[in-house]
Amino acid sequence: MTAKPNFDFEKEGVLTIGHVDENEVDRIAASFKGRSLFITGGTGFLGKVLVEKLLRSCGELKRIYLLIRPKKGKDPQERIKDIFQNVLFDQVKQLRGEQQILQQVVAIAGDVLLPGLGISEQDLETLRNEVSIVYHCAATVRFDEPLRNAVFMNTRGTKYMLDLALTLKHLEFFAYCSTAYCHLHVKTLYEKPYDPPANPHQVIQACEWLTDEEVSLIERKVLGDIPNTYAYTKSLAEALVVEKFNELPAVILRPSIVIPIWKEPIPGWTDNINGPTGLLIGAGKGVIRTMYCNSSGYGDFLPVDIAVNGILVASWRNITAGTDSTNRVAHMTSSNDIKVSWAEIIELGRWVIEHKVPLNGVAWYPGGSMKSNYIVHYICMVLFQWMPALFVDALLILLRYPPVLCRVQNRIYKGFEVFEYYANNVWSFDNSEAVKLRKLMNNKERKTYVIEKIDLDLIDYFTNSVLCARRLILKESDESIPAAKRHMKVMWVVDKVYKGIWLFGILYMLYRCFFAS
C-alpha cells in the first residue's frame, strides 16, 4: 500500500475574501438582468454547468434559449426537462423551483451541422428580436474525430453561428468558447489572435466537395504537425471569429483542460471520463499500469465551475465596458497559479483509490509507473496490461462469457496515442486578463464568481471527483465501498504473487543459463 502523498503548494496569492458588505451590488448578475441568451452546447459538460450557474446566480435574466438537436419521438422541450433531472440542477431547483426555471429555459430545435443551424423561421425571428448575448460552446471534443466531421461541427458550425449573430438586432456580446490548446506550435500562448493553419473557408469548401473516404486519405497531410483534428478545427474556427471582430461584439475565450467541479454546486461532479478522471478510473480499475509520459511535466487543468465563473466575469466586463475597450481574447487557465505534475496526479489518484474510494470490479491491483523511455513503456504495456488482459479474457471465454479486457486495452492504446503528445510537451499560458478582472471585482463578486488562485486541497478534490465518477458514471453505490476495499486487498495479494512468479521465472532462467552447465 502506498503512503499518503504530501502536496505543499505556495500559499501566497491564494484567494482570501474580506468582509462581504450586504449592500454590495452583484454587478455581474445585474449585467444579465432582463436579457435573453442563446447558448449552443448547453447539453455538454461545460454547457450544463454554465446554464446552472446562470440560473442560480443570475436568476433575473429573462430567458435562456438552448439549441437542442431534435430526436425522434421526443420534443426538444422534453429534452430540457430530462437535462434538469441531473443532480447538477438539484440545488437551483430547490432554490427557485423547477417550474420557474423551466419557464426561463426554452429549447430551440436545431443542429450546428445544418445550414442556418436547422432553426425554423419562427424560432429565428424570436432569436433576432430577443437575444442580446450568445455563447457558442457546441463542439466535438473527440480528438480522433474524422477530419470532415470535425470541420463541419467545429469550424463550419461556428461560421453558421456568426452568420446568425449578424442578424440579431440587439446583440451586445458574442462569446466563442475555444481552447487554450488550439495553437500547439506556440509554447507560450498570449491572449491574442494567431494565424490559422489554413484558410478556413477553403477547408470548409473542400470538405463539402469531397467524401468522407476522400478526406480521410489526405487527413494526415492536411493536419501536418498538428496532432489531431480537434486542435486543427478549433484554430480554424478562431480565425472565422477574428474575421468578424469589426462587425460583431465578439470575443474568444480559451479555457484549458476543463475538469470536474471544485466547489459549486456539487464538488467533484462530472458527466464524462475525459482528462484526469479517465486516467484515475483506468488506473483504479487496474487496466492502466504504464504511461509514456514526462512525469515532471504538467497539464493546465481548470475546474469547470471556475471556467464558467471566468466566462461570466468576462461577459460582464465586455457588456459594460464594450468590446472595443477590452481585449478580444481571454485565457481561462491555472498553471500560472498552481502547477500539478503528471506524477503528482497519478500518485494522488492512486492513494485516493487505494485508501478512500476503491472502485468495484477491479481487474488488477492499481500500480505501475510513468516511463520516459518508449521502449520500456511498450515492454511493460505488453507484460502488465496486454498479457493479463489476454489471460483474463481466455478465462472468460472458457467460462462462456464474452471477452472484455482486450477490447478495453485496445481503447486505452488508441487513447494513449493522443494523450502521449500532450503528456510529453509543456505549454505556458498568459492570463493577464484574469489578473485585471480580479482587481475590478468587489468582495461579493469575488465570492460568487471565483476566478482567483484557490486553496485547493487536492486530496479532497480527487476524492470528490472519484466519488462522483463512481456514483454518476460507473453507477456504483456507496454501500459497495466496503466490499470494494476487501476486494482491493485480495488483488494486492494477487499482484504480489503474479510479480513473484515472474521474478522467480527470470531468476530461474538466469540460473539455467549461467550455472546449470
Side-chain angles (χ1 to χ4, degrees):
M1 298 284 183
T2 57
K4 183 176 180 179
N6 181 34
F7 296 92
D8 293 318
F9 290 115
E10 175 63 51
K11 297 297 182 182
E12 182 181 350
V14 168
L15 171 65
T16 54
I17 298 174
H19 173 69
V20 177
D21 187 340
E22 292 184 2
N23 294 320
E24 278 186 319
V25 176
D26 182 344
R27 296 167 297 172
I28 297 169
S31 68
F32 289 92
K33 184 177 180 180
R35 297 179 186 272
S36 292
L37 292 68
F38 181 45
I39 301 176
T40 69
T43 60
F45 178 47
L46 178 70
K48 286 194 192 88
V49 179
L50 174 60
V51 170
E52 193 279 337
K53 181 69 174 183
L54 283 164
L55 292 170
R56 179 163 47 87
S57 298
C58 308
E60 290 188 294
L61 58 82
K62 182 181 178 182
R63 192 153 288 116
I64 297 174
Y65 293 102
L66 289 185
L67 187 70
I68 301 289
R69 189 181 303 167
K71 282 192 174 180
K72 277 188 177 181
K74 182 156 281 192
D75 179 81
Q77 198 63 30
E78 287 296 317
R79 291 192 62 198
I80 296 283
K81 291 181 181 179
D82 292 344
I83 293 168
F84 284 158
Q85 296 311 305
N86 193 295
V87 294
L88 176 71
F89 294 93
D90 285 355
Q91 183 178 338
V92 70
K93 286 192 291 187
Q94 291 172 4
L95 287 172
R96 305 193 52 234
E98 185 171 2
Q99 286 307 310
Q100 184 174 345
I101 63 174
L102 280 171
Q103 290 174 4
Q104 281 185 292
V105 182
V106 176
I108 298 291
D111 190 334
V112 295
L113 293 174
L114 299 176
L117 302 171
I119 302 175
S120 70
E121 190 55 43
Q122 181 179 350
D123 285 343
L124 281 173
E125 194 62 25
T126 299
L127 297 177
R128 289 174 185 141
N129 290 326
E130 292 193 24
V131 169
S132 59
I133 299 172
V134 174
Y135 295 109
H136 179 39
C137 306
T140 173
V141 296
R142 280 183 53 194
F143 283 30
D144 61 346
E145 187 77 58
L147 177 59
R148 190 166 184 262
N149 294 351
V151 167
F152 288 162
M153 183 75 177
N154 294 347
T155 309
R156 192 178 67 177
T158 301
K159 181 180 182 297
Y160 289 157
M161 279 296 298
L162 291 165
D163 292 341
L164 171 64
L166 288 168
T167 70
L168 302 180
K169 299 175 183 178
H170 309 290
L171 183 66
E172 294 186 54
F173 182 66
F174 178 102
Y176 171 60
C177 289
S178 184
T179 171
Y181 285 93
C182 70
H183 300 286
L184 299 173
H185 62 290
V186 182
K187 290 301 183 181
T188 299
L189 197 74
Y190 292 95
E191 294 172 304
K192 67 177 186 178
Y194 287 88
D195 291 335
N199 183 310
H201 300 283
Q202 292 178 356
V203 173
I204 292 170
Q205 199 170 45
C207 288
E208 289 174 338
W209 286 343
L210 301 173
T211 65
D212 289 337
E213 292 76 15
E214 289 168 336
V215 174
S216 68
L217 290 174
I218 60 173
E219 179 175 314
R220 192 62 263 165
K221 186 174 181 180
V222 170
L223 295 182
D225 295 333
I226 300 173
N228 55 71
T229 59
Y230 176 71
Y232 181 78
T233 54
K234 294 293 275 187
S235 62
L236 294 178
E238 279 198 6
L240 293 173
V241 178
V242 172
E243 284 181 2
K244 300 298 181 183
F245 273 177
N246 292 330
E247 301 175 64
L248 292 171
V251 301
I252 296 171
L253 305 177
R254 292 182 184 143
S256 57
I257 303 169
V258 182
I259 57 176
I261 285 175
W262 166 54
K263 187 162 284 188
E264 293 183 328
I266 302 173
W269 180 89
T270 186
D271 66 353
N272 64 75
I273 56 172
N274 299 330
T277 304
L279 287 178
L280 290 180
I281 290 176
K285 290 283 189 178
V287 294
I288 297 177
R289 309 188 64 76
T290 179
M291 287 189 290
Y292 175 53
C293 178
N294 174 12
S295 59
S296 61
Y298 58 88
D300 193 297
F301 302 105
L302 191 68
V304 64
D305 49 331
I306 306 298
V308 164
N309 289 340
I311 290 172
L312 298 185
V313 174
S315 303
W316 158 68
R317 179 61 178 159
N318 282 276
I319 291 167
T320 55
T323 51
D324 290 338
S325 59
T326 60
N327 195 346
R328 307 290 284 269
V329 180
H331 290 169
M332 292 153 196
T333 56
S334 66
S335 56
N336 284 350
D337 295 323
I338 297 177
K339 290 182 174 68
V340 186
S341 71
W342 295 108
E344 289 169 333
I345 289 175
I346 295 301
E347 181 187 354
L348 174 61
R350 182 184 299 165
W351 188 87
V352 167
I353 288 174
E354 284 180 11
H355 298 273
K356 301 195 77 171
V357 193
L359 304 176
N360 291 351
V362 170
W364 207 267
Y365 184 76
S369 62
M370 295 182 177
K371 313 295 188 303
S372 58
N373 184 293
Y374 187 79
I375 295 174
V376 174
H377 158 71
Y378 189 81
I379 292 170
C380 289
M381 184 169 59
V382 170
L383 291 178
F384 301 114
Q385 289 186 193
W386 277 104
M387 290 191 67
L390 288 167
F391 175 72
V392 171
D393 277 358
L395 286 178
L396 290 173
I397 291 170
L398 289 173
L399 296 170
R400 299 182 182 276
Y401 290 102
V404 175
L405 287 186
C406 284
R407 179 162 41 88
V408 170
Q409 286 299 332
N410 192 47
R411 291 180 61 184
I412 290 170
Y413 181 77
K414 289 181 179 179
F416 273 1
E417 289 180 339
V418 173
F419 168 77
E420 285 165 3
Y421 177 85
Y422 294 90
N424 289 286
N425 288 280
V426 175
W427 291 265
S428 298
F429 304 100
D430 173 41
N431 67 337
S432 300
E433 287 302 307
V435 174
K436 291 178 188 175
L437 289 172
R438 293 166 187 172
K439 296 175 181 177
L440 297 174
M441 300 166 71
N442 62 39
N443 285 337
K444 184 172 186 177
E445 293 159 351
R446 291 173 69 205
K447 184 177 181 180
T448 308
Y449 312 93
V450 176
I451 61 168
E452 304 183 46
K453 182 176 179 180
I454 55 179
D455 189 6
L456 182 64
D457 185 317
L458 285 172
I459 289 180
D460 284 348
Y461 177 75
F462 276 83
T463 299
N464 290 328
S465 297
V466 175
L467 266 174
C468 282
R470 201 179 192 280
R471 294 165 180 163
L472 305 177
I473 297 174
L474 301 177
K475 307 299 182 184
E476 298 176 1
S477 68
D478 290 357
E479 289 75 19
S480 64
I481 290 177
K485 287 182 176 180
R486 292 192 296 269
H487 181 67
M488 185 70 76
K489 292 177 181 177
V490 171
M491 295 312 296
W492 181 84
V493 174
V494 172
D495 180 64
K496 298 304 179 187
V497 170
Y498 179 79
K499 289 177 179 176
I501 292 172
W502 268 101
L503 180 60
F504 175 80
I506 292 170
L507 293 175
Y508 179 74
M509 291 298 294
L510 290 173
Y511 172 78
R512 293 284 304 225
C513 289
F514 294 104
F515 301 106
S517 59

